[in-house]
Amino acid sequence: MAANEFSETHRVVYYEADDTGQLTLAMLINLFVLVSEDQNDALGLSTAFVQSHGVGWVVTQYHLHIDELPRTGAQVTIKTRATAYNRYFAYREYWLLDDAGQVLAYGEGIWVTMSYATRKITTIPAEVMAPYHSEEQTRLPRLPRPDHFDEAVNQTLKPYTVRYFDIDGNGHVNNAHYFDWMLDVLPATFLRAHHPNDVKIRFENEVQYGHQVTSELSQAAALTTQHMIKVGDLTAVKATIQWDNR
């Protein structure tokens, strides 16, 4: 296996699933991040090593395609590849496979390094990138952006206060929590009858401890939902989700 690829097995447990026993979207993201963190550790790129360069990895965008979400007790394989990078951006891919090797879900993400001093994007340190043996490219794949959020169409709002336990090691909200906030606006009857098939999400601004956020939903079509997380008038996250019947 190339140094820029890594995989591991995992058993889906009850606290990763919803009340139907199916893996949640937030937990799928957690598994994708977990396998990339384990790859980092295997390559000697511990969190402490990365932070010693004054930076932390931050995702700016995901695109996910999901054929099926596994159920509690399922044995799955999580795989990732640090595919390509340039001076400021790194492109990473993810796969979730069943015990027969069939792809259940595929994800791609754009990552950057954030300076802890300025809280802004900074050049990726060479020492942090080199162990992946990724391909250096001038232009990385362009991920599809979320569709336009139409505030005039069937809009629903729900407020949240950012808790201490929502925060990750970079000092802002763990990305998986955004998925819970977005989906929680939808009725339980809808969530029990559907599963996400295609997800386009873009992270635009940090959300930190104590912030008051609003999860906004716009649904013009039966199986397409538009989502936005805001702090006051500032947009933190935008997403478009296509759904399938379970």
Side-chain angles (χ1 to χ4, degrees), residues 72-236:
T72 302
Q75 296 286 339
V76 296
T77 297
I78 325 161
K79 178 182 174 182
T80 189
R81 178 169 64 214
T83 305
Y85 75 102
N86 59 29
R87 187 180 180 189
Y88 288 104
F89 300 97
Y91 173 70
R92 182 181 278 275
E93 296 177 273
Y94 307 87
W95 293 264
L96 181 71
L97 304 100
D98 65 16
D99 57 1
Q102 297 297 310
V103 176
L104 300 174
Y106 168 76
E108 50 186 348
I110 298 294
W111 291 78
V112 300
T113 47
M114 178 189 70
S115 165
Y116 287 125
T118 65
R119 307 301 292 184
K120 294 181 180 180
I121 294 173
T122 188
T123 303
I124 300 173
E127 299 87 348
V128 170
M129 202 68 230
Y132 297 113
H133 298 295
S134 299
E135 182 180 354
E136 186 172 7
Q137 298 179 356
T138 303
R139 293 187 177 183
L140 299 182
R142 186 182 294 268
L143 274 57
R145 294 190 174 213
D147 301 336
H148 171 69
F149 186 94
D150 190 347
E151 298 188 22
V153 176
N154 299 329
Q155 190 176 14
T156 306
L157 309 177
K158 198 167 187 178
Y160 297 89
T161 299
V162 179
R163 309 165 304 166
Y164 171 77
F165 295 105
D166 295 324
I167 303 302
D168 65 16
N170 284 327
H172 57 209
V173 170
N174 180 308
N175 290 323
H177 290 289
Y178 291 114
F179 291 90
D180 282 337
W181 291 341
M182 291 188 302
L183 270 57
D184 190 46
V185 181
L186 289 158
T189 51
F190 180 90
L191 294 171
R192 288 176 181 136
H194 303 87
H195 77 83
N197 171 258
D198 187 86
V199 180
K200 296 176 289 190
I201 185 166
R202 184 176 176 86
F203 303 93
E204 298 190 354
N205 287 287
E206 285 190 288
V207 177
Q208 298 178 332
Y209 173 63
H211 280 170
Q212 304 296 312
V213 303
T214 303
S215 178
E216 303 186 8
L217 165 71
S218 176
Q219 188 171 5
L223 295 180
T224 303
T225 55
Q226 310 288 350
H227 301 266
M228 188 156 53
I229 303 293
K230 298 181 74 174
V231 179
D233 294 329
L234 183 68
T235 299

Side-chain angles (χ1 to χ4, degrees), residues 10-18 22-24 27 30 72:
H10 178 80
R11 179 175 65 89
V12 178
V13 293
Y14 72 93
Y15 54 79
E16 297 170 332
D18 59 20
Q22 195 171 63
L23 184 74
T24 68
M27 285 299 172
N30 277 334
T72 302

